[in-house]
Amino acid sequence: MLSRLGALLQQVVETREPSVDLLEAFTEHWKGITGYYLEATDESVPARQTDIPWRLKQMLDILVYEEKQHPAGEAGPCLEYLLQHKVLETLSTLGKAEYPPGMRQQVLLFFSRVLGQVQHPLLHYLNVHRPVQKLLQLSGDRLGSGVEKEEAQFVAVLCTKIKQDPTLLAYILEGKSILNGRRAQELPASPVEEGAEHPSGTAAAASPRQAEPSPPRRDSNLITSLMGLCKSKKSRVALKARENLLLLVGLAQEAAAACLVRSSTLCQLLTEHLCDLYSAVPTSTDPADVLALERVSWSPTSSTPCRSQGDAAGDGVFPGKENLAAFFGWLDYLDELVMGAHPVVADAITEAVEEKFFQGILQPQLLSRGESFIPPLTPGDTPHPLRTQLIDRCNHLSDEISLASLRLFEELLRKPHEHVAHSLALRNLQARGYLQRSPPVPDEDLEEDPYFTDGFPDAGFGSAKKPLPGSAPSGKGQVSEVVSSFLCLVPEEAKTSSCMEEGGYDTYVHDALGMVQACRADAAPWGWPPAPRPLDACYPETAFYEGHFLKVLFDRMTRILDQPYSLNLQVTSVLSRLAAFPHPHLHEYLLDPYLNLAPGCRSLFSVLVRVIGDLMQRLQRVPHFRAKLLLVRRQLMGLVPGEQMDHAMLFKGVVVLEEFCKELAAIALVKGPPEGPP
């Protein structure tokens, strides 16, 4: 009974005691911070060893507690004091002075916590976003070089706030008000000045209107701070900055996107960093090392926090490896940035990269007459002169230059853009000028074709003859017939895969299916027709020309028996990827053996037939051809040690030829014939 009575009396006493005056406590802590600068005598004492961090924490707690005691949207006296007495402005000045040592870190933490935990909209106020801008301008200052973590937290809070209200972007970027077209410096410093509405009202949080943007400035701001942090050696800091930049460029509001492009140097900074990373790659880097480098990704899902710092480039070590990995990592990040950005921002970034990097740096190097220099090649859309020269280099006297150029085009096709396929091949196939318009002569034989005038031996070549045209004017055959045509193209005397207990073309079907499906998915938005254009709608203006790119590839195929093994593999790889595209004209021209070709025209199949004719003549002149061919195949498979052998290039070419025909058969099986009228 006594204990209960005592508790009751205590409760009565407590209710009669005056509650803690929050404003008084808030101002006391603030005066304690400013008083430190009047009383301190030792300037070397770090800020964390003073009572400043504790007082800032108390001020934050008071602001958060006070807000909970008031209706939503209503500012309490402590928040009004913070705004009217320019507390944040003073703190930003103290942070700039970095006195006591470590003060900038404490200021950044306080700003991040206030902006993150106080729900009342603050960044519209001049006395908030002006000191925020001052802190952003300190980013990269050598005096604050040890506060990258706190800077990353600070900009993360800002990006989150901008994501919630994109109209804030203009305030943060340049302190420009888009409310009534006035600059931020013209806004009232606090909600009670110049007759502005009280914080309990809604005027301060109203959405401002877009004003005319000023020219981009190189002054430090949110974008320059983010870019500086993106380059941090601390992988977690760099990763966090890149994620926040992704968030910023993905703002859905068009006015904010336009502000980001016009009122900041975002595009310029992104491109400059790409150019700097590229320039840091040693020009002496071995192309083989570039090819051996495993794919570098910026993605946070990778095994390391930030792949672009060069820590994910595989086990092989070579000079410039980290530089190369950093370049490819940033290139991968730009891809991600463009894909996730607002179209206005994405177009601006793409244009900047094309102008400054592809045209400003890569194009002059690729057009350079000093062809001993082949830089690491990167996919990109090139103007006509560059395209012409690069295609010519696929047929260069130097096999190494040819190989590098062919790899470039394969990469272009791996990351397909409709313009790439159109520019390299489709524009020459639109009118189907490769087809014979008039009915073929019934007695027409192989020798009447200008590409088959060598006269092939009768023995052993029956399976390699050009199939007779079918009844359909387009020359389409059943899938099984098309597959059989490619599989039977290489004569039995030149086949060795069966002797090695390898599978037939079916071993290629799985890979062909994946490649064809990927190409179909990529081409789905392009609106390609499901069937070839009707011949009566095609009006070729001139004689058919397969185009520069296909001409070079076909010319390379005619020399497959006299070229290095690696070069042959690259040529066939490019042709296979072209054949996988779902355009009916590409399918017809590259995969239909039954085409009624116009005089003087050639297709991929006709080129292969001619190569087989050459092969048949050669194999009769080489003693023990099949035994030597089988030995070379074993050497290529690593079953027996390699050794010098006469006609080794010929034998390797035959192996590539056999496998290429099986690959084409698999692609034809997976794709099926083009549908629709001839």
Side-chain angles (χ1 to χ4, degrees):
M1 176 67 72
L2 291 176
S3 61
R4 293 180 60 187
L5 180 60
L8 180 61
L9 291 173
Q10 179 67 28
Q11 183 178 356
V12 171
V13 171
E14 288 179 353
T15 56
R16 291 185 177 181
E17 287 182 352
S19 59
V20 176
D21 188 326
L22 294 180
L23 179 59
E24 182 180 345
F26 187 84
T27 56
E28 179 185 347
H29 286 301
W30 177 237
K31 291 177 181 178
I33 293 175
T34 56
Y36 171 84
Y37 291 87
L38 300 175
E39 301 171 0
T41 57
D42 188 353
E43 297 183 357
S44 64
V45 177
R48 65 177 181 272
Q49 295 181 12
T50 69
D51 65 351
I52 292 177
W54 175 76
R55 291 190 178 279
L56 289 174
K57 179 64 167 58
Q58 297 304 308
M59 292 171 65
L60 172 68
D61 291 343
I62 291 173
L63 289 172
V64 173
Y65 177 79
E66 177 188 67
E67 186 172 54
K68 294 178 181 178
Q69 311 308 311
H70 290 76
E74 179 180 323
C78 296
L79 181 57
E80 288 190 357
Y81 183 92
L82 179 94
L83 296 171
Q84 293 178 15
H85 290 78
K86 302 182 180 181
V87 171
L88 298 180
E89 188 86 32
T90 302
L91 284 174
S92 66
T93 302
L94 297 177
K96 180 179 180 180
E98 187 62 351
Y99 173 67
M103 187 60 184
R104 186 174 303 178
Q105 179 186 43
Q106 301 302 323
V107 171
L108 285 168
L109 286 173
F110 182 72
F111 270 64
S112 300
R113 290 165 179 169
V114 168
L115 294 175
Q117 297 181 36
V118 174
Q119 301 304 309
H120 190 88
L122 297 175
L123 285 167
H124 295 84
Y125 295 116
L126 176 65
N127 285 343
V128 176
H129 65 247
R130 184 167 59 188
V132 163
Q133 293 163 0
K134 287 185 177 180
L135 281 183
L136 290 172
Q137 290 172 2
L138 298 179
S139 179
D141 187 342
R142 64 179 183 85
L143 292 177
S145 58
V147 295
E148 280 188 332
K149 179 181 177 182
E150 290 74 22
E151 286 180 353
Q153 293 175 344
F154 178 49
V155 297
V157 170
L158 294 177
C159 290
T160 300
K161 291 295 181 181
I162 293 171
K163 180 69 174 179
Q164 296 169 356
D165 181 4
T167 61
L168 289 172
L169 182 62
Y171 288 90
I172 305 304
L173 278 184
E174 53 180 355
K176 191 172 188 178
S177 169
I178 45 180
L179 178 62
N180 298 326
R182 293 188 296 170
R183 293 191 60 81
Q185 286 76 359
E186 299 170 358
L187 290 179
S190 73
V192 296
E193 292 179 358
E194 298 185 12
E197 189 170 342
H198 192 274
S200 60
T202 59
S207 297
R209 296 178 303 179
Q210 178 68 23
E212 186 68 23
S214 62
R217 307 186 311 182
R218 291 308 294 266
D219 299 341
S220 297
N221 55 29
L222 179 59
I223 299 302
T224 56
S225 297
L226 279 170
M227 280 298 303
L229 293 171
C230 283
K231 304 174 188 178
S232 172
K233 298 300 182 182
K234 299 177 180 178
S235 59
R236 292 192 178 185
V237 170
L239 177 59
K240 191 66 177 177
R242 295 177 187 191
E243 289 174 342
N244 280 288
L245 192 54
L246 278 171
L247 182 148
L248 211 56
V249 300
L251 293 175
Q253 189 184 83
E254 186 166 353
C259 178
L260 194 60
V261 170
R262 298 172 187 171
S263 299
S264 78
T265 53
L266 172 67
C267 301
Q268 183 176 352
L269 292 173
L270 290 171
T271 309
E272 283 180 356
H273 189 46
L274 180 69
C275 296
D276 290 342
L277 291 173
Y278 176 77
S279 300
V281 177
T283 57
S284 59
T285 302
D286 190 335
D289 289 331
V290 178
L291 290 175
L293 187 74
E294 72 175 51
R295 176 175 172 78
V296 181
S297 171
W298 83 275
S299 174
T301 59
S302 60
S303 58
T304 53
C306 188
R307 299 285 298 274
S308 63
Q309 299 304 313
D311 54 356
D315 296 328
V317 177
F318 57 88
K321 174 183 174 181
E322 290 191 2
N323 304 94
L324 190 63
F327 167 72
F328 283 128
W330 188 251
L331 193 64
D332 183 70
Y333 176 68
L334 290 184
D335 277 342
E336 186 78 14
L337 206 65
V338 169
M339 288 188 290
H342 186 285
V344 171
V345 181
D347 290 345
I349 294 174
T350 302
E351 183 179 346
V353 172
E354 177 184 1
E355 178 184 351
K356 300 296 183 182
F357 179 64
F358 285 111
Q359 295 183 8
I361 294 181
L362 272 188
Q363 179 171 306
Q365 291 180 345
L366 292 171
L367 289 175
S368 171
R369 294 186 180 275
E371 294 182 342
S372 60
F373 169 65
I374 294 293
L377 298 174
T378 307
D381 189 14
T382 57
H384 182 71
L386 180 57
R387 180 189 64 219
T388 300
Q389 184 151 342
L390 290 178
I391 293 176
D392 284 337
R393 286 182 179 175
C394 293
N395 206 15
H396 199 275
L397 291 175
S398 166
D399 292 335
E400 185 175 336
I401 291 177
S402 297
L403 194 59
S405 302
L406 285 166
R407 284 171 179 159
L408 167 63
F409 284 105
E410 184 176 18
E411 287 301 316
L412 284 171
L413 296 171
R414 282 183 185 277
K415 289 190 174 181
H417 186 285
E418 183 179 6
H419 177 69
V420 175
H422 176 81
S423 178
L424 293 180
L426 281 175
R427 63 178 179 170
N428 298 95
L429 308 180
Q430 290 182 115
R432 300 175 73 192
Y434 44 84
L435 293 178
Q436 171 69 271
R437 299 301 173 115
S438 58
V441 180
D443 296 335
E444 181 180 10
D445 57 18
L446 195 61
E447 282 72 21
E448 291 181 353
D449 191 319
Y451 285 100
F452 305 96
T453 57
D454 297 335
F456 304 134
D458 294 333
F461 189 57
S463 61
K465 288 184 179 178
K466 182 180 179 182
L468 295 177
S471 56
S474 67
K476 289 187 296 182
Q478 298 294 327
V479 174
S480 60
E481 295 173 351
V482 173
V483 170
S484 178
S485 296
F486 282 110
L487 293 180
C488 296
L489 198 53
V490 178
E492 293 300 324
E493 298 91 323
K495 290 183 178 179
T496 52
S497 59
S498 58
C499 301
M500 307 301 296
E501 298 182 353
E502 295 181 3
Y505 83 106
D506 54 306
T507 59
Y508 285 95
V509 170
H510 181 270
D511 292 338
L513 180 62
M515 183 165 61
V516 168
Q517 288 177 339
C519 286
R520 282 176 180 166
D522 289 327
W526 302 344
W528 280 355
R533 289 178 62 192
L535 279 178
D536 56 7
C538 299
Y539 304 99
E541 298 178 357
T542 59
F544 174 72
Y545 172 55
E546 62 260 39
H548 193 189
F549 187 58
L550 284 174
K551 179 183 184 302
V552 168
L553 294 179
F554 285 176
D555 289 347
R556 277 293 186 187
M557 283 301 302
T558 63
R559 303 197 297 272
I560 195 171
L561 304 178
D562 302 296
Q563 294 176 154
Y565 179 66
S566 58
L567 190 57
N568 284 337
L569 289 178
Q570 194 60 51
V571 172
T572 55
S573 179
V574 173
L575 282 168
S576 297
R577 186 156 293 276
L578 263 179
F581 278 93
H583 197 288
H585 293 175
L586 273 175
H587 179 105
E588 180 179 64
Y589 189 59
L590 297 178
L591 293 177
D592 192 346
Y594 296 93
L595 292 181
N596 299 323
L597 291 173
C601 296
R602 58 180 179 173
S603 66
L604 177 58
F605 191 83
S606 72
V607 169
L608 291 173
V609 169
R610 182 165 187 171
V611 172
I612 296 300
D614 185 15
L615 171 62
M616 292 303 298
Q617 292 185 3
R618 295 194 191 194
L619 67 84
Q620 295 184 7
R621 297 195 297 264
V622 178
H624 311 294
F625 180 91
R626 187 172 176 80
K628 293 179 179 179
L629 176 62
L630 188 59
L631 176 59
V632 168
R633 185 163 197 129
R634 290 179 180 274
Q635 292 174 353
L636 290 174
M637 295 177 64
L639 300 178
V640 295
E643 59 184 56
Q644 293 294 329
M645 180 185 298
D646 293 339
H647 308 291
M649 193 174 289
L650 167 65
F651 298 134
K652 292 178 181 179
V654 174
V655 172
V656 174
L657 186 61
E658 180 184 359
E659 297 306 308
F660 182 49
C661 289
K662 292 195 293 185
E663 187 173 10
L664 292 176
I667 295 173
L669 176 71
V670 170
K671 291 182 69 177
E675 301 175 354

